[in-house]
Amino acid sequence: MAATSQQGAGSHRRSVLDGGLLLFRVDGVPVLLAPSWWIGSLVVVVLYAPLVGRLLPGASMTTSWLLAAAFAILLGLSVLAHELGHCLVALRLGIPVRRLRLFLLGGVSEVARTPRKPGQEGLVAAAGPIVSLGLGAFCAVLMLAVPSGGSAWLLVAECAVANFAVGVFNLLPGLPLDGGRMLRAGVWAITGKRANGTKAAVVGGGLVAFGLMVWALWGLAAGAEDRWLRLGVCVVTAWFVAMGASGELAAESRRSWPEGLALAQLIRPVLQLPAESPVADALAASAGRGVMLVRADGVAAGLLDETAAQRLAAESPLSPAELAAEPIRAETVLLASEPGEEIAERVRETPAWQFLVVDDEGRPAGVLRREDLRAAMSGHLPG
């Protein structure tokens, strides 16, 4: 166990470095600034600076560029506040979050597991837009207290626009946007199937991407003042939405439990042997079955790890099989009556290659191997 936890810590440190610059942590969750964020901000500054002169007549070129840079920073902070809303609500619901990352096209809170219930998904998804719209409303009220026509007023207005833009855009009903996740939660709650919600929200994502392109082309045809800013933002965002929706659909296909598949078709029979049995004998007895090793006091020592058992048997065939046992942990025990999708989710989240399946009385019912589940989820159902 110690070696495993150290390896996990090393992987975590690498992921932080790979994700970008570590800004700070929230409840242990790293907040990262990806290198691509600087590219996106530079594009916003270049496209927005010419508009400042129209919004603030008489502004110098220096002022225009400074206010454009301020808008890019405020937009980034708005996205950060939005993602923090997701992150904190997820943590309060007991959903672990790997990291929060700001990148070229916005931000993302990477949860470590899929929400178990549609209500959880809906709450986490709604948290971000609520934060954004709340900050936008606050800045809109603050505008009334700031003399209009000056740089300070424009900065407050920019903050209001940035938060309203982030909040409203993310409410659009298509994946991977928050509105799409809320739509998925609603369909999931009504039909009882997450896959149905994903399909509906993926269609919504396609419509959102199409709508963005129509709006951008309309701006070009009408000669809108912000047509080039609109075109650049819409093209990149439409691509992001389309790719995100496609990725969500692919992920759902890997997550969905095949229709008509019973867990009993996947689990292997479990054989109970004394923990002190010679490892060579335990290995020979396994023959496609799971082997649970039990000590003399009746306590399970673990499941036989065939790879470790083969190594041990090659060196010392009479050694106790317990030396090649994989401990049975709470997360590696599955209840036979659990819904298939929850079982698949548990297996994906847990770093183990075999799982003990028990009945409602806690008695061993069989062993589920990761490779068998993966084959079934890929369409290779048992004969």
Side-chain angles (χ1 to χ4, degrees):
M1 290 298 294
T4 302
S5 64
Q6 289 170 5
Q7 183 179 1
S11 299
H12 178 68
R13 283 192 292 271
R14 286 193 296 274
S15 69
V16 169
L17 293 175
D18 292 342
L21 176 66
L22 177 62
L23 299 178
F24 55 89
R25 294 178 184 271
V26 177
D27 282 355
V29 178
V31 178
L32 309 174
L33 188 67
S36 62
W37 181 87
W38 298 98
I39 299 173
S41 297
L42 179 61
V43 171
V44 170
V45 171
V46 171
L47 295 176
Y48 183 72
L51 297 178
V52 175
R54 301 186 184 95
L55 297 171
L56 196 64
S60 65
M61 183 177 295
T62 301
T63 300
S64 297
W65 283 99
L66 287 175
L67 289 174
F71 177 69
I73 293 173
L74 288 171
L75 184 60
L77 291 174
S78 300
V79 172
L80 175 59
H82 179 100
E83 294 301 330
L84 285 173
H86 290 311
C87 178
L88 293 176
V89 170
L91 292 174
R92 295 301 174 268
L93 291 175
I95 302 173
V97 180
R98 291 193 186 97
R99 61 181 183 177
L100 189 160
R101 192 163 63 100
L102 302 181
F103 61 105
L104 174 64
L105 301 175
V108 61
S109 298
E110 299 178 8
V111 297
R113 67 168 173 81
T114 303
R116 305 290 192 199
K117 302 176 182 178
Q120 290 181 335
E121 171 131 39
L123 286 173
V124 174
I130 288 173
V131 170
S132 297
L133 295 176
L135 288 174
F138 172 78
C139 292
V141 172
L142 187 60
M143 287 171 62
L144 302 176
V146 179
S148 62
S151 298
W153 180 88
L154 184 57
L155 279 173
V156 177
E158 286 177 346
C159 191
V161 169
N163 280 283
F164 278 130
V166 171
V168 171
F169 175 71
N170 274 279
L171 285 174
L172 295 177
L175 286 171
L177 304 175
D178 298 328
R181 300 188 187 283
M182 294 165 68
L183 173 61
R184 173 165 62 190
V187 175
W188 180 7
I190 293 171
T191 65
K193 292 186 177 180
R194 190 177 189 275
N196 290 344
T198 297
K199 292 174 183 176
V202 165
V203 172
L207 294 175
V208 168
F210 178 75
L212 287 169
M213 293 307 302
V214 169
W215 186 55
L217 294 175
W218 179 267
L220 282 177
E225 290 186 352
D226 65 342
R227 59 187 180 277
W228 297 114
L229 174 62
R230 187 190 305 187
L231 179 65
V233 171
C234 285
V235 167
V236 175
T237 307
W239 175 84
F240 165 73
V241 171
M243 291 299 101
S246 176
E248 289 279 355
L249 187 61
E252 190 64 51
S253 67
R254 295 191 298 269
R255 180 183 296 113
S256 299
W257 188 261
E259 196 72 30
L261 177 66
L263 180 62
Q265 295 175 259
L266 299 182
I267 61 176
R268 303 186 181 209
V270 60
L271 174 67
Q272 297 188 42
L273 291 178
E276 64 273 14
S277 300
V279 65
D281 293 347
L283 192 59
S286 63
R289 296 177 290 186
V291 176
M292 185 168 73
L293 301 169
V294 183
R295 298 191 182 102
D297 57 4
V299 177
L303 295 174
L304 184 70
D305 184 333
E306 290 187 3
T307 303
Q310 289 170 356
R311 288 197 300 264
L312 181 60
E315 299 173 359
S316 179
L318 298 180
S319 296
E322 182 177 358
L323 297 178
E326 183 178 19
I328 299 173
R329 310 186 304 273
E331 58 269 26
T332 61
V333 177
L334 304 174
L335 192 62
S337 58
E338 283 185 90
E341 291 193 355
E342 291 188 13
I343 288 176
E345 192 73 25
R346 285 270 304 279
V347 172
R348 273 194 301 273
E349 294 169 2
T350 307
W353 69 277
Q354 61 179 343
F355 298 78
L356 178 65
V357 180
V358 300
D359 61 19
D360 291 337
E361 303 298 325
R363 294 171 299 200
V367 171
L368 176 65
R369 292 188 177 179
R370 180 183 295 275
E371 62 193 48
D372 295 338
L373 178 60
R374 183 183 295 116
M377 299 290 279
S378 301
H380 300 89
L381 301 181

